[in-house]
Amino acid sequence: MQPLLRVEKLVKCYERQNVFGSREKLLALDGVSFAVAQETTLAVVGESGSGKSTLGFCISCLEIPTSGSIWFEGRDIVVLAESERRKLRPQIQLIFQDPSNSLNPRWSVEEILLEPLNLKGKLKREETKQRAVALMTQVGLSSDMFQRSPAQLSGGQRQRLAIARALALEPRVLILDEALSALDCSVQAQIANLLIELQRTLGMTYLFITHDLAMAAHLADEIAVMNRGRVVEQGPAQNILRHPKEEITRHLLAAIPSLDNAERPPLES
Ligand SMILES: Nc1ncnc2c1ncn2[C@@H]1O[C@H](COP(=O)(O)OP(=O)(O)OP(=O)(O)O)[C@@H](O)[C@H]1O
Ligand SMILES: [Mg+2]
């Protein structure tokens, strides 16, 4: 089967000033390649600074890679004209650790959901409202919360709202960049289960970026381990968990309290 998303030899080079004031190059992505089939989850794990967010920014068209290709639905989005890229952008949505950054604090929950629905522009006013109510239900929120501001929601509710807002654009791919990391264990489990449910019902494809190899193994079909801008190890989630080849993977595994998750609460809501 043709993958929905394929990244080929992706390079992102940043230039920054060093302590002596001269410019130096930093390879945030150093030839990353992988493919993600539709309705599957690829977890990208790695330590801080390994290039995970840069990868998410490039795939969601928020950064332009230095070289390489990003194939989505058979087209290389890197070489697309800006107008074409803009049309494609809603289809690949990015969700961050702190949803406050993407939710306007001055807007009500309802306004936050109506904005992307109105952008799509195809629905009548009453239909738009119905769609907003349906999106709330889909992510396990109640439309009783419509008049609240994001600050009047819990962290888990805010992240559900961020997911609903992304879903309003009917994306095919969701990139979740440490989207569960700031939440309590039990809330993490609830949102993880919501993601699994949405994948089943909507056929979503996920790129799940995390430090947490245990959560990656729970959610993902495949895991790609990144180190210094490169994918150093990739394979089926259980293989990576049980038979890690690279030192860095073993290091990430060591951060899990117990491989059998005996000390973690069960991943059920
Ligand atoms: N805009 C930028 N300008 C210069 N360097 C950058 C920029 N963005 C990221 N970098 C550098 O690129 C490297 C990769 O950063 P990135 O944010 O992708 O890492 P990460 O794996 O997401 O880390 P974390 O787990 O801490 O979120 C880092 O060394 C970072 O300092
Ligand atoms: Mg990051």
Side-chain angles (χ1 to χ4, degrees):
M1 196 175 71
Q2 180 113 334
L4 180 63
L5 180 70
R6 188 157 56 87
V7 169
E8 223 173 57
K9 297 184 183 150
L10 204 65
V11 172
K12 177 68 188 178
C13 183
Y14 287 115
E15 265 198 19
R16 62 179 177 190
Q17 231 163 14
N18 65 19
V19 282
F20 307 108
S22 54
R23 302 193 74 72
E24 61 178 18
K25 288 196 158 112
L26 185 134
L27 267 183
L29 297 177
D30 186 10
V32 170
S33 302
F34 59 74
V36 194
Q38 188 171 334
E39 233 179 301
T40 67
T41 300
L42 173 70
V44 178
V45 300
E47 294 189 315
S48 188
S50 55
K52 307 181 297 296
S53 294
T54 306
L55 179 65
F57 287 145
C58 288
I59 296 173
S60 53
C61 305
L62 294 176
E63 284 277 9
I64 297 173
T66 309
S67 64
S69 311
I70 301 168
W71 296 91
F72 176 68
E73 293 185 320
R75 290 194 296 176
D76 180 2
I77 63 179
V78 175
V79 297
L80 282 183
E82 182 51 33
S83 58
E84 289 295 308
R85 217 196 319 264
R86 210 172 305 132
K87 276 189 237 158
L88 202 129
R89 222 174 254 165
Q91 299 206 39
I92 305 176
Q93 287 291 302
L94 190 56
I95 294 187
F96 298 100
Q97 174 169 350
D98 182 1
S100 311
N101 292 336
S102 55
L103 302 173
N104 190 328
R106 286 183 297 276
W107 285 3
S108 66
V109 167
E110 184 177 22
E111 286 168 324
I112 286 169
L113 284 182
L114 291 182
E115 189 222 28
L117 291 171
N118 287 330
L119 269 183
K120 285 180 71 74
K122 275 183 284 181
L123 301 173
K124 295 202 188 86
R125 208 180 149 147
E126 201 39 46
E127 287 172 336
T128 310
K129 175 92 185 222
Q130 280 167 10
R131 181 88 181 101
V133 173
L135 281 166
M136 290 288 276
T137 311
Q138 207 157 30
V139 300
L141 293 176
S142 156
S143 49
D144 293 350
M145 295 172 180
F146 263 169
Q147 297 319 315
R148 293 198 204 169
S149 69
Q152 293 168 322
L153 300 178
S154 70
Q157 288 168 338
R158 263 199 298 277
Q159 204 51 294
R160 286 176 192 268
L161 177 62
I163 294 170
R165 187 187 183 285
L167 292 182
L169 294 164
E170 297 174 26
R172 299 199 65 193
V173 177
L174 273 192
I175 302 176
L176 298 129
D177 189 348
E178 302 282 5
L180 307 185
S181 307
L183 304 170
D184 290 350
C185 260
S186 65
V187 183
Q188 276 192 3
Q190 288 165 14
I191 309 263
N193 287 336
L194 169 67
L195 293 173
I196 293 169
E197 176 68 17
L198 293 173
Q199 185 161 60
R200 211 172 43 78
T201 52
L202 302 177
M204 295 300 304
T205 304
Y206 297 133
L207 197 71
F208 186 78
I209 294 173
T210 182
H211 286 89
D212 183 346
L213 202 40
M215 185 56 87
H218 175 66
L219 272 175
D221 302 281
E222 290 229 346
I223 294 177
V225 182
M226 283 190 74
N227 191 27
R228 296 173 180 224
R230 289 171 169 266
V231 172
V232 292
E233 180 162 9
Q234 181 176 352
Q238 288 308 319
N239 277 10
I240 301 283
L241 207 63
R242 302 286 162 198
H243 310 290
K245 291 195 181 71
E246 296 291 322
E247 187 56 40
I248 188 77
T249 315
R250 282 194 279 272
H251 190 69
L252 290 164
L253 275 171
I256 305 177
S258 155
L259 199 55
D260 295 326
N261 287 343
E263 288 162 52
R264 292 172 73 92
L267 286 164
E268 276 142 32
S269 52

